[in-house]
Amino acid sequence: MRTGVGLAFLCLACCFHGSLSCPALCKCYPRRAEVVCNDVPLTEFPSQGLPKNTSLLTIQFTNISSISEHHLSAMPLLEGLHLYSNNLESLSSHLLRGVPHLKTLDLTDNKLAHLPQDVFSHAPLQSLVLKSNLIETVDADWFPPNSSLTWLDLSGNRLTSIPSALFQRLPHLENLDLSYNRLEKLPPDSLKPLTRLERLNLRNNKLSSLDPSVFQGASNLTFLFLPENRLEKLSPTLFQGLSKLRYLTLDGNQLSHVPPGLLDPLLSLDEEGLDLTVNPWLCDGKVEYFWRWLVKNKQKAFAEVNIICAQPLSLAGRSISSLMENELNV
């Protein structure tokens, strides 16, 4: 029996390694069909010796500048491809044709600027990370209709807008990260197709306003990050329908008032789940709704004592929740 098991394991190892081979400068792990080329002086894709049944390939911190359909088709069982921090500048529209099982693609920290149509249409991707590249525009035609994608990370690029057509192709999306871009606006009703969206990150963009309908339809939103933008006013109906929202950050904007009713739909906020610090709050007669909400919901506000008045001067530096009722009409 032991001899049989030993022979079976040897066969598996040989099958994976291709006669016990492995690309130079890389490491191969037969049991999990994984190849890792990490922080090594590679300048070309490591085709030589790559096991045919590789299911997970990681090439990171190298100098490879191109990857082709031919390279990937040599691994028809590939499920995960991580190409973090290389020098990739372009991708072929047919890149993924030979990897029909690919679910995860990570292209973080490369030099990608323009991507062709259909580039992500030939594999059942569930997770796509394009973080920290040079992308200026997004094309809905990157993806097939009814894409299986659930995770999309476009943070740290140069995006100034997002087409509504993109979201129409991503009905299964659960996580969307658009932080650290240059977005100036979001199209009205743009998130309606994203009925499964749970997490939306818009941190550090250039948003100065939000259409009242922008979050309508995204009723499963649980985490919404909007800090470090240029928001000055919010529609009182902006958060209608977001009864599942547990965490909302609006710190570091230019908000002076909270319109009456804005926070009422947020029934599921976690303890300290709402961050409204670092805004120039005007503590005049219009602050009453916000004051009453804070007094009633102190435990839901992050650093509640740091939500302070900027004006008028007589109240500057005071936390809004510390105000007395007779001070609200200054």
Side-chain angles (χ1 to χ4, degrees), residues 205-270:
N205 277 282
K206 297 183 178 182
L207 299 169
S208 58
S209 64
L210 292 168
D211 188 272
S213 70
V214 71
F215 299 125
Q216 288 182 13
S219 58
N220 276 312
L221 264 183
T222 307
F223 297 88
L224 177 56
F225 304 93
L226 288 161
E228 300 168 44
N229 278 280
R230 301 174 180 179
L231 296 171
E232 297 179 2
K233 295 181 180 179
L234 301 175
S235 165
T237 61
L238 183 63
F239 302 133
Q240 277 188 1
L242 301 187
S243 60
K244 295 182 180 180
L245 202 64
R246 293 172 47 198
Y247 197 75
L248 171 64
T249 58
L250 282 157
D251 49 300
N253 280 282
Q254 295 298 314
L255 298 171
S256 57
H257 290 106
V258 171
L262 176 72
L263 304 176
D264 294 349
L266 306 182
L267 304 176
S268 299
L269 284 175
D270 284 351

Side-chain angles (χ1 to χ4, degrees), residues 14 27 45 60 62-63 70 152 200 205 234 319:
C14 289
K27 294 181 180 180
F45 188 85
Q60 58 186 11
T62 78
N63 291 315
H70 173 71
L152 177 59
L200 175 61
N205 277 282
L234 301 175
S319 64

Side-chain angles (χ1 to χ4, degrees), residues 76-147:
L77 301 180
L78 195 65
E79 296 182 6
L81 178 58
H82 299 272
L83 298 169
Y84 184 97
S85 196
N86 295 290
N87 285 311
L88 298 175
E89 296 181 359
S90 63
L91 302 177
S92 162
S93 61
H94 308 312
L95 179 66
L96 305 182
R97 277 189 176 175
V99 282
H101 304 287
L102 190 69
K103 295 178 181 179
T104 299
L105 177 58
D106 188 340
L107 291 156
T108 298
D109 194 22
N110 280 280
K111 298 179 180 179
L112 300 171
H114 304 287
L115 300 178
Q117 291 184 357
D118 297 325
V119 63
F120 304 121
S121 294
H122 303 293
L125 288 178
Q126 295 178 4
S127 176
L128 174 61
V129 181
L130 293 163
K131 180 180 179 179
S132 300
N133 278 279
L134 307 173
I135 300 170
E136 296 183 359
T137 58
V138 176
D139 190 342
D141 290 330
W142 288 352
F143 304 97
N146 198 31
S147 167

Side-chain angles (χ1 to χ4, degrees), residues 4 37 41 55 61 69 96 100 107 220 258 261 285 294 297 314 316 329-330:
C37 312
S55 65
F61 301 105
E69 177 187 1
L96 305 182
L107 291 156
N220 276 312
V258 171
L294 282 174
N297 298 279
S314 59
N329 295 305
V330 176

Side-chain angles (χ1 to χ4, degrees), residues 8-21:
F9 178 76
L10 180 61
C11 288
L12 286 173
C14 289
C15 177
F16 177 72
H17 276 289
S19 300
L20 300 178
S21 67

